[in-house]
Amino acid sequence: MSCKIGFKDNDYKNETVTKKVNTPDITPRKSIVSVRFYSKNRTLSYYNDKFDLNNGDIVFVEGKFEGVRGVVVEVNYSFKIKLSDYKKVVAVADTNVKGNLYLADYHFVTFDRSVIPFSKILGWYKAPANPEEEIISSDDNCKYSLFDIDALPASGEIKERGYDYYMQNRVAYLSLDGEKGNAVVLGTEAYQVDFVYSDGEISSLTCDCFCNYFCKHQVAVMLQLRDILDTVIKDYREMYNQSGYFAAICRNELLNTAMAFRKRGKFYIE
């Protein structure tokens, strides 16, 4: 069954309403915003002069909580401050989602690259990469069967914890574009897993966590990929064959992130 996601304004029957984003010809209104860091159980104030922020926006800041996902809980436009006393908001996540999604067990899946692209979803969980920071990766040229998890070069404990992550729907997002795959796994923080998939085998499998061995996040992604592929091929083979692409997002993550703070609009299923 298809599931079409949208926010329909009651005054415009044929238009979908999405969260307002900044455009180059609009100067954002300066503000002091209170940001709640749920993972740290802290709320701090920041100066904002780059974005048009609203309650519920996901943001990233400079300073002590650099790289930690925060949520705007209050916006104040009337203030007088000493600028040196405040750190700034440096990024805001784009939580606009519009397009056709289809049910796939505990996930929604799409075959349209514009609906939930990896770059957008990654921005829900991780701060933008520092362009000056050097990223180094390497490929061990090993291939692993997606259907033989027992053969993975990981301990029994790692495999068990990876299975737990899979069962707990901690693979928040997974996409496969041709042979190139990307995933976001939620653990102590959000981790990015990249891979190549072809003919039942996965290779070039990397995770940006600090483990120097095959990790639970990689195991969870392999299990989730096997599960999603099975559903896609069984129920949506034609659409997948036409696009050569799919992206899947955990239902709760989509609803909690893209819809949690909406005050208007309609969610509808066809």
Side-chain angles (χ1 to χ4, degrees):
M1 177 171 62
S2 70
C3 178
K4 190 174 183 180
I5 303 298
F7 300 95
K8 185 181 290 184
D9 191 307
N10 293 330
D11 298 327
Y12 298 91
K13 295 183 179 180
N14 296 319
E15 294 186 12
T16 299
V17 175
T18 57
K19 174 178 167 286
K20 182 173 65 177
V21 296
N22 295 321
T23 55
D25 58 340
I26 297 177
T27 301
R29 192 175 177 187
K30 296 177 182 179
S31 59
I32 298 294
V33 295
S34 296
V35 178
R36 180 66 177 173
F37 300 95
Y38 288 97
S39 64
K40 304 294 184 181
N41 196 28
R42 294 285 304 277
T43 302
L44 298 174
S45 295
Y46 294 86
Y47 174 62
N48 165 60
D49 62 356
K50 292 183 178 180
F51 311 101
D52 182 15
L53 296 178
N54 300 283
N55 288 351
D57 284 346
I58 296 171
V59 296
F60 295 92
V61 301
E62 60 185 11
K64 180 179 180 180
F65 289 150
E66 178 182 355
V68 179
R69 167 170 150 154
V71 176
V72 175
V73 293
E74 185 177 354
V75 182
N76 181 13
Y77 297 112
S78 179
F79 60 89
K80 184 177 182 179
I81 62 170
K82 186 178 179 181
L83 194 57
S84 59
D85 290 338
Y86 284 79
K87 298 298 184 181
K88 290 185 177 184
V89 175
V90 297
V92 58
D94 177 5
T95 57
N96 290 315
V97 174
K98 186 173 79 171
N100 290 317
L101 294 163
Y102 300 84
L103 298 176
D105 295 324
Y106 294 102
H107 289 69
F108 290 123
V109 64
T110 183
F111 306 94
D112 183 340
R113 290 173 175 81
S114 68
V115 177
I116 47 173
F118 173 64
S119 58
K120 173 183 287 190
I121 304 304
L122 187 65
W124 292 6
Y125 303 101
K126 297 173 77 72
N130 182 350
E132 297 181 357
E133 185 174 4
E134 185 178 7
I135 304 297
I136 300 175
S137 63
S138 181
D139 186 355
D140 60 9
N141 295 316
C142 292
K143 294 183 178 181
Y144 309 104
S145 172
L146 198 62
F147 307 98
D148 189 6
I149 302 299
D150 290 338
L152 294 177
S155 67
E157 180 182 1
I158 292 296
K159 293 174 186 175
E160 183 176 347
R161 293 172 70 185
Y163 181 78
D164 288 343
Y165 266 45
Y166 158 71
M167 290 297 295
Q168 294 165 9
N169 291 314
R170 288 177 177 259
V171 182
Y173 175 88
L174 189 152
S175 65
L176 185 62
D177 193 347
E179 295 185 348
K180 182 180 179 181
N182 303 104
V184 176
V185 183
L186 303 182
T188 307
E189 57 185 81
Y191 298 103
Q192 176 180 342
V193 177
D194 303 317
F195 59 91
V196 171
Y197 173 78
S198 178
D199 297 326
E201 291 185 324
I202 197 167
S203 61
S204 301
L205 183 61
T206 61
C207 178
D208 65 357
C209 72
F210 292 101
C211 295
N212 59 356
Y213 47 82
F214 207 99
C215 68
K216 58 190 175 186
H217 312 114
Q218 294 167 312
V219 174
V221 167
M222 290 187 66
L223 289 166
Q224 192 66 71
L225 176 61
R226 185 176 68 181
D227 186 36
I228 293 293
L229 273 173
D230 180 66
T231 299
V232 164
I233 293 173
K234 180 175 65 177
D235 297 332
Y236 308 111
R237 182 190 298 268
E238 184 176 348
M239 284 185 288
Y240 179 44
N241 287 342
Q242 287 179 352
S243 67
Y245 165 89
F246 76 80
I249 187 167
C250 181
R251 291 193 203 179
N252 287 341
E253 289 302 310
L254 177 68
L255 299 178
N256 291 339
T257 302
M259 297 178 64
F261 291 90
R262 303 284 181 178
K263 294 183 178 180
R264 300 182 62 185
K266 294 180 181 179
F267 174 82
Y268 51 93
I269 297 178
E270 292 182 344

